[in-house]
Amino acid sequence: MRNTLLFVFFLSMVTMGVAQEISLTGTVKDSLDVGVDMANVIAINTETKGLESYGITNHAGLYKLKLKPGFQYTVKVSYLGFKTESFTFTATDADAVKDIVMQEQASQLDEVEVTYEMPVSVKGDTIVYDTDAFVSGTEKKLKDVLENLPGIEINDDGQIEVEGKTVSKVMVEGKDFFDGDTKLAVENIPANALSKVEVLRNFNEVSQMKGLTNDDDNVALNIRLKEGKKNFWFGELTAGFGPDDRYLAHPKLFYYSPKYSINIITDLNNLGEVPFTRNDYRNFTGGFRNINSRGGSSITTGADGLGLSTAQNNRANDIDTKFAAANFSYAPTETLDLSGFGIYSYTGTLMKSQRNTTYIASNDVENATTNTDQTVHLGLAKFSARYKSNANFQLDYDALLKQSDDNEEVDVLSISNITDEISEVKKQRPLAVNQNLNLYYTLNEKNIFAVEAQHLYQDEDPFYEAIRSEFAFADIFPVDENQNLYNINQSKNVITNKVDAKVDYYRVLGSKSNLNLTLGTTQSHQNFNSNIFQILDNEDTLDMTDDEFGNDVTFNVSDLYLGLHYKVIAGIFTFNPGVTLHQFNVKNEQLGTVVEDNLTSLLPDLYINAQLKKSENIRFNYRVTRSFTDVSNFAQGYVLNNYNSLYSGNRDLESALNHNLSLNFFSFNMFNLTNIFANVAYTKRIDALKSSADIIGINRVSTTINSNFEDESLSASGNYERTFGKIKGSVRGNVSWSTTNNLIDNQQRTSNSFTQNYTGALSTNFKNAPNLELGYRYTVNNYENGNLETTYFTSRPYARFDATFLKNFIFNIDYDYYNYTDKEDTIANTYSFLESNITYQKKDSHWEYGLKGTNLLNTTTLNRDSTNDLFFTTETYFVQPRYILFSVKYDL
């Protein structure tokens, strides 16, 4: 009954949105009777002077406007390079047809006047959204506005996606906003500060390189501010408190001028709202990129040697967070730009879970209750300088510092064939410094040079301690067994120095072709040290000094390469084939000997783009890559991964060869606001680095080998989005299949995984009526490993509702329902999350008062499942209880 009422309510709003409208259609053509693609067409109500409807022509020049009968309109048509055309139209009760012929014109003054009023306009590779046309007044931050714009989505990780591509950069007034991350922008830029959102497709920061490289997957966003927000401080000061000592403090300040900008964001709360997670930290690039992305080689340097626990959807049992970030840009002269940021984040997390693990080889089952107390300090700082003396010369320098201080204490009650209480401690303070120097020089219109160099220094120091009554590997380690408890400790240190450098020469052969010659190198040097010791009951230390219980490894990878690529445009096709010749030298020194491997490899790649229409293309990529693992997999001495996993490296490892193919389709039809994208990707791995494990009950001893068996993976995703007036509908799907091979107890084990994710949603975007989004997500995870197969299902209907009432009140509600089951019906768990927010703010007042409820249904647990080649796992995860918070916000 409840779902029926929601559906009826949604249909009634749809009916209101489409009732009593007529269509004005026609074709926009040039003087040669050829349809004009992407011309702007708007209808202005003659009486109110307001924008009534707008449209953009399709590839044939067709346009369509929805108008209310009984009113007179001024219809204007504009397109870059043509004289603006206009006519008067009176809407009756019947649909009408009107064709327009446009004449070429050099001056564009009229075009500027008209496109200012367009909710959506297209200028070359840039799509401009006038945000006022898409907001209802309930939006609070950039994220809320972007979700209303056709063709733009916010994914589950908080990152912006346009046309299925992740946005790599967000700028405000052309200035970087925390370069290397988009989540900080979408969660913090106030919605009431926005004037326009510009989507910059085929984005390239270096003007000299545009058109020479393939930038189809590069997308950036530029935010334009309202006039009252420029040359003035603006922002918000928010504070909140609630029962059970819950609190929130969230001041944020912004200043933008033509010469400099400052952004300051802070956040303190214990509500589970984590502004900057460990995953955000790990993925925060700072704008640094792989300068050898087309070269075909990949050399891993490792990161996060402890594998710290992460909260599910930031819904741990208890989370306390403190966050501060500042970003600046300054242009002291017309030729020099300086910018940078600093970020600090503290998160204290209490996690509790119950885990059921089935070990495939032994058929043993472990039931474990885990309590985790984790504190994480994260720090980042970046400085950038760009010197551009003229259009032919650009010099960039960037330096990025990343450091964390992590501490995790875990108590595990493990019940299998024995019962064991385990206390684990994990500590680390990894440091990474990345520097980048780029120089771009145009000698003349035919010859362009690019020099890029990058240096990475990384120092990792993970420490691990396990205290338990039973030690799983007592028959391997020379431990003292006459102790009340086993206290086993392990220290590691990995120092990495990696240099990437290359010189690119571009020979421009004509307006549609160029030749690219690349000479480059990657030099990676790593030192790995580890040792294991036991602390006895009397606090003496028992050192394990034999070679198999410690590591002292020097590891070097050298890659010298020469690449040749040719790019040519022929009709609708762009062809960019290439080949890169590599000379590899890999050397590891340990145990008094050296193992060396020399390899010459010729790696091809191919890019083809078929530009079917201005906003519709098909892209094909094929690339062969050779990948090298890091020093930790070469170190032969034992390393403890956790209380039941022991690892020993393999110094005879070789590189793996990967064949990667992808096919992408994209179509953005501004005529009917339809956005379609699809992607298919296939990877085949030869000599893949795989696990070889011996299983003893719930314990394992493993190493890494080059597999003789080929691993494969295939994934496909697609999205269809269509806007009908004020209604937006979307359907999205993602399927992924993989097959992997490992050695388990010296026998080949093939594992297959097939996962499916589907989402369908309908949402409204009314200015003067409540808005509702209804959606349904369905997930199927099928795992087949050896003789065992299992399938997990998650059904997730959801609803979002927001409304303005009594002029000054805004009400939001967010509901998610989960039904989690498995194929065997041994698991059946349903749970839901309900959040709501009501705010009060008088018109033109700086003060806003709010009441927020989190987890209003007081859900206690959620579920997740995972698998690998060794075991299946299902986990019940305890989450935060219900929170109520009263808040006060002051708008600057």
Side-chain angles (χ1 to χ4, degrees):
M1 182 65 182
R2 179 180 58 185
N3 293 335
T4 303
L5 290 175
L6 283 173
F7 185 69
V8 171
F9 177 65
F10 186 85
L11 285 180
S12 66
M13 290 195 295
V14 172
T15 304
M16 285 192 313
V18 300
Q20 303 203 356
E21 287 184 338
I22 63 103
S23 296
L24 174 62
T25 59
T27 304
V28 178
K29 298 181 179 180
D30 61 17
S31 58
L32 300 177
D33 203 37
V34 177
V36 179
D37 188 6
M38 289 194 174
N40 297 326
V41 185
I42 62 173
I44 300 172
N45 189 303
T46 306
E47 180 181 344
T48 64
K49 306 300 181 184
L51 177 67
E52 182 69 30
S53 183
Y54 72 94
I56 295 178
T57 58
N58 68 3
H59 66 282
L62 295 175
Y63 75 91
K64 184 177 184 179
L65 300 175
K66 288 289 187 178
L67 303 173
K68 295 178 181 178
F71 291 92
Q72 186 182 74
Y73 301 95
T74 299
V75 179
K76 296 184 179 181
V77 184
S78 64
Y79 187 73
L80 193 65
F82 289 84
K83 179 183 177 181
T84 299
E85 302 291 339
S86 64
F87 62 91
T88 301
F89 173 76
T90 300
T92 63
D93 292 332
D95 294 341
V97 177
K98 174 68 175 180
D99 296 335
I100 301 107
V101 177
M102 303 191 74
Q103 304 296 325
E104 293 188 11
Q105 176 183 291
S107 173
Q108 294 303 312
L109 295 178
D110 291 337
E111 186 271 337
V112 173
E113 177 187 351
V114 174
T115 57
Y116 174 78
E117 299 171 325
M118 281 290 294
V120 184
S121 58
V122 180
K123 301 177 182 178
D125 287 332
T126 302
I127 303 175
V128 182
Y129 296 90
D130 184 349
T131 57
D132 285 344
F134 295 93
V135 297
S136 62
T138 62
E139 296 81 7
K140 296 296 183 182
K141 50 194 175 184
L142 175 61
K143 175 183 178 180
D144 304 325
V145 177
L146 294 180
E147 289 177 333
N148 293 335
L149 305 183
I152 300 181
E153 293 187 356
I154 307 297
N155 64 25
D156 291 338
D157 295 324
Q159 303 296 319
I160 307 170
E161 289 186 356
V162 175
E163 303 163 2
K165 309 163 191 172
T166 302
V167 172
S168 59
K169 180 189 288 286
V170 172
M171 298 175 286
V172 179
E173 293 293 331
K175 305 178 187 300
D176 289 348
F177 191 91
F178 293 95
D179 190 19
D181 179 79
T182 62
K183 183 179 175 181
L184 287 178
V186 300
E187 295 291 347
N188 290 284
I189 296 177
N192 60 11
L194 307 182
S195 171
K196 298 183 187 302
V197 172
E198 299 174 346
V199 176
L200 311 177
R201 299 178 294 175
N202 302 315
F203 178 73
N204 196 315
E205 294 185 80
V206 184
S207 58
Q208 298 144 276
M209 306 300 294
K210 192 170 180 63
L212 298 177
T213 55
N214 300 317
D215 301 319
D216 303 84
D217 291 326
N218 297 340
V219 182
L221 243 61
N222 184 42
I223 308 299
R224 295 294 181 185
L225 302 174
K226 293 180 178 178
E227 287 302 321
K229 303 298 182 180
K230 300 175 186 177
N231 297 309
F232 292 97
W233 284 97
F234 69 93
E236 303 169 351
L237 304 176
T238 305
F241 61 92
D244 302 319
D245 298 322
R246 297 299 153 185
Y247 65 86
L248 167 69
H250 189 30
K252 46 188 178 182
L253 300 171
F254 310 94
Y255 184 89
Y256 283 87
S257 71
K259 197 169 185 178
Y260 65 91
S261 68
I262 300 174
N263 306 291
I264 301 172
I265 303 170
T266 60
D267 192 307
L268 296 86
N269 76 82
N270 58 358
L271 307 174
E273 298 178 357
V274 183
F276 197 75
T277 66
R278 279 192 58 82
N279 283 337
D280 296 332
Y281 173 82
R282 187 181 299 110
N283 298 327
F284 202 101
T285 64
F288 283 75
R289 62 189 186 279
N290 180 12
I291 67 174
N292 188 27
S293 58
R294 286 207 304 179
S297 63
S298 172
I299 301 173
T300 304
T301 57
D304 192 13
L306 289 176
L308 297 182
S309 305
T310 57
Q312 174 74 21
N313 296 329
N314 297 331
R315 288 181 172 138
N317 207 221
D318 187 81
I319 304 177
D320 182 23
T321 185
K322 299 175 177 63
F323 174 79
N327 173 223
F328 81 93
S329 66
Y330 175 54
T333 67
E334 292 184 358
T335 59
L336 180 63
D337 284 299
L338 306 175
S339 63
F341 60 75
I343 297 175
Y344 168 76
S345 175
Y346 162 81
T347 307
T349 308
L350 299 178
M351 290 175 274
K352 181 180 179 180
S353 66
Q354 294 176 344
R355 185 179 72 243
N356 177 279
T357 303
T358 301
Y359 290 83
I360 299 163
S362 62
N363 286 322
D364 283 5
V365 176
E366 178 191 23
N367 290 290
T369 300
T370 302
N371 290 279
T372 303
D373 185 352
Q374 182 187 98
T375 59
V376 173
H377 300 262
L378 306 173
L380 300 96
K382 183 187 178 185
F383 173 77
S384 298
R386 172 167 297 172
Y387 176 72
K388 190 174 180 67
S389 58
N390 52 58
N392 296 325
F393 181 84
Q394 180 173 316
L395 179 66
D396 299 337
Y397 172 76
D398 303 281
L400 175 67
L401 168 69
K402 298 178 69 172
Q403 184 167 29
S404 68
D405 186 354
D406 310 323
N407 186 86
E408 181 175 284
E409 298 178 6
V410 185
D411 292 325
V412 183
L413 175 61
S414 172
I415 302 174
S416 56
N417 57 340
I418 63 170
T419 298
D420 197 4
E421 294 186 16
I422 305 131
S423 295
E424 294 180 299
V425 175
K426 302 176 182 180
K427 299 179 181 179
Q428 64 179 3
R429 296 191 65 186
L431 168 71
V433 180
N434 210 331
Q435 296 183 84
N436 194 77
L437 183 67
N438 299 329
L439 184 150
Y440 306 96
Y441 176 63
T442 301
L443 179 65
N444 51 50
E445 63 180 11
K446 295 292 186 182
N447 300 282
I448 300 173
F449 295 88
V451 180
E452 297 177 316
Q454 193 172 114
H455 174 253
L456 169 67
Y457 171 80
Q458 195 167 265
D459 187 348
E460 302 170 272
D461 60 346
F463 177 82
Y464 174 75
E465 176 187 55
I467 302 174
R468 57 189 302 186
S469 55
E470 301 287 341
F471 183 47
F473 307 108
D475 56 338
I476 296 176
F477 287 82
V479 295
D480 186 340
E481 299 186 42
N482 298 314
Q483 305 294 312
N484 292 323
L485 294 171
Y486 290 98
N487 187 340
I488 308 299
N489 296 255
Q490 174 181 268
S491 61
K492 291 193 294 183
N493 183 238
V494 184
I495 295 179
T496 301
N497 279 280
K498 183 183 177 186
V499 175
D500 290 277
K502 68 168 184 171
V503 178
D504 278 299
Y505 167 67
Y506 294 90
R507 175 66 177 179
V508 180
L509 304 176
S511 60
K512 295 186 177 182
S513 63
N514 69 73
L515 198 64
N516 171 217
L517 183 66
T518 304
L519 177 63
T521 184
T522 299
Q523 301 291 324
S524 177
H525 176 84
Q526 292 185 292
N527 291 319
F528 180 100
N529 291 278
S530 71
N531 67 291
I532 299 175
F533 57 93
Q534 179 184 8
I535 296 179
L536 307 178
D537 292 346
N538 60 8
E539 298 187 357
D540 286 345
T541 298
L542 174 61
D543 293 318
M544 303 179 193
T545 57
D546 291 344
D547 290 339
E548 61 264 40
F549 307 116
N551 286 287
D552 184 3
V553 186
T554 300
F555 179 66
N556 295 284
V557 181
S558 172
D559 175 17
L560 299 174
Y561 58 90
L562 178 66
L564 180 65
H565 289 81
Y566 176 66
K567 183 178 181 181
V568 60
I569 300 174
I572 67 170
F573 291 98
T574 299
F575 297 95
N576 192 191
V579 65
T580 306
L581 178 65
H582 291 262
Q583 177 61 50
F584 298 105
N585 175 262
V586 184
K587 183 190 302 182
N588 76 83
E589 182 177 351
Q590 57 182 309
L591 304 174
T593 59
V594 176
V595 174
E596 189 170 3
D597 184 21
N598 292 292
L599 176 67
T600 300
S601 191
L602 190 66
L603 304 176
D605 61 273
L606 174 63
Y607 168 86
I608 302 174
N609 181 17
Q611 196 68 39
L612 307 178
K613 302 171 187 175
K614 286 187 177 180
S615 285
E616 185 173 287
N617 62 43
I618 298 176
R619 303 190 312 278
F620 171 78
N621 267 292
Y622 171 67
R623 181 168 298 159
V624 180
T625 61
R626 188 164 289 280
S627 59
F628 297 83
T629 187
D630 73 322
V631 64
S632 60
N633 288 323
F634 285 84
Q636 290 203 161
Y638 285 118
V639 172
L640 286 166
N641 289 331
N642 57 48
Y643 66 87
N644 65 344
S645 175
L646 184 63
Y647 178 82
S648 173
N650 177 3
R651 66 182 309 186
D652 296 316
L653 289 176
E654 298 176 349
S655 59
L657 195 66
N658 305 307
H659 292 266
N660 307 286
L661 298 92
S662 67
L663 185 66
N664 299 271
F665 172 76
F666 152 72
S667 175
F668 190 23
N669 190 334
M670 299 296 289
F671 170 70
N672 55 15
L673 293 180
T674 300
N675 180 40
I676 305 172
F677 67 82
N679 173 70
V680 178
Y682 171 77
T683 299
K684 184 175 184 178
R685 291 171 290 275
I686 301 171
D687 291 331
L689 300 180
K690 305 301 298 180
S691 172
S692 174
D694 293 325
I695 307 298
I696 307 168
I698 68 168
N699 306 303
R700 61 188 182 274
V701 181
S702 60
T703 187
T704 302
I705 62 169
N706 286 101
S707 172
N708 293 324
F709 308 104
E710 297 174 351
D711 291 351
E712 296 178 279
S713 64
L714 177 67
S715 64
S717 62
N719 182 82
Y720 177 86
E721 179 187 285
R722 176 78 180 269
T723 301
F724 306 87
K726 297 298 183 180
I727 312 299
K728 181 170 73 172
S730 65
V731 178
R732 187 168 190 166
N734 182 289
V735 296
S736 178
W737 167 84
S738 67
T739 180
T740 59
N741 296 275
N742 292 273
L743 285 181
I744 309 298
D745 294 335
N746 292 319
Q747 294 183 351
Q748 179 195 356
R749 175 73 52 77
T750 300
S751 303
N752 294 300
S753 171
F754 183 51
T755 63
Q756 305 168 70
N757 295 276
Y758 306 102
T759 302
L762 282 174
S763 62
T764 66
N765 187 20
F766 299 117
K767 276 187 173 293
N768 300 309
N771 285 295
L772 177 67
E773 178 184 356
L774 296 177
Y776 183 79
R777 294 176 179 173
Y778 184 65
T779 301
V780 182
N781 295 330
N782 175 260
Y783 308 121
E784 181 183 350
N785 198 321
N787 297 321
L788 295 179
E789 181 180 0
T790 188
T791 305
Y792 302 98
F793 307 92
T794 303
S795 299
R796 183 187 167 189
Y798 67 90
R800 314 279 186 265
F801 176 80
D802 62 76
T804 302
F805 64 98
L806 298 179
K807 294 184 179 180
N808 302 316
F809 286 90
I810 296 175
F811 177 66
N812 306 92
I813 193 167
D814 192 333
Y815 177 72
D816 289 271
Y817 176 84
Y818 296 79
N819 182 23
Y820 180 82
T821 59
D822 67 345
K823 185 177 180 180
E824 294 79 16
D825 292 326
T826 58
I827 300 173
N829 191 14
T830 61
Y831 50 93
S832 56
F833 290 96
L834 177 65
E835 298 185 0
S836 183
N837 189 27
I838 185 170
T839 61
Y840 171 80
Q841 185 174 22
K842 283 187 176 181
K843 186 178 180 181
D844 299 326
S845 173
H846 292 279
W847 293 95
E848 178 190 274
Y849 305 92
L851 190 64
K852 179 178 183 178
T854 301
N855 192 11
L856 291 173
L857 301 177
N858 212 24
T859 298
T860 57
T861 62
L862 55 79
N863 292 94
R864 56 186 179 184
D865 58 76
S866 62
T867 187
N868 58 30
D869 300 297
L870 304 177
F871 51 78
F872 298 112
T873 296
T874 60
E875 189 168 12
T876 300
Y877 190 86
F878 291 81
V879 300
Q880 294 182 112
R882 178 192 299 118
Y883 293 148
I884 305 294
L885 190 80
F886 173 76
S887 64
V888 178
K889 185 181 75 172
Y890 181 78
D891 292 326
L892 296 177

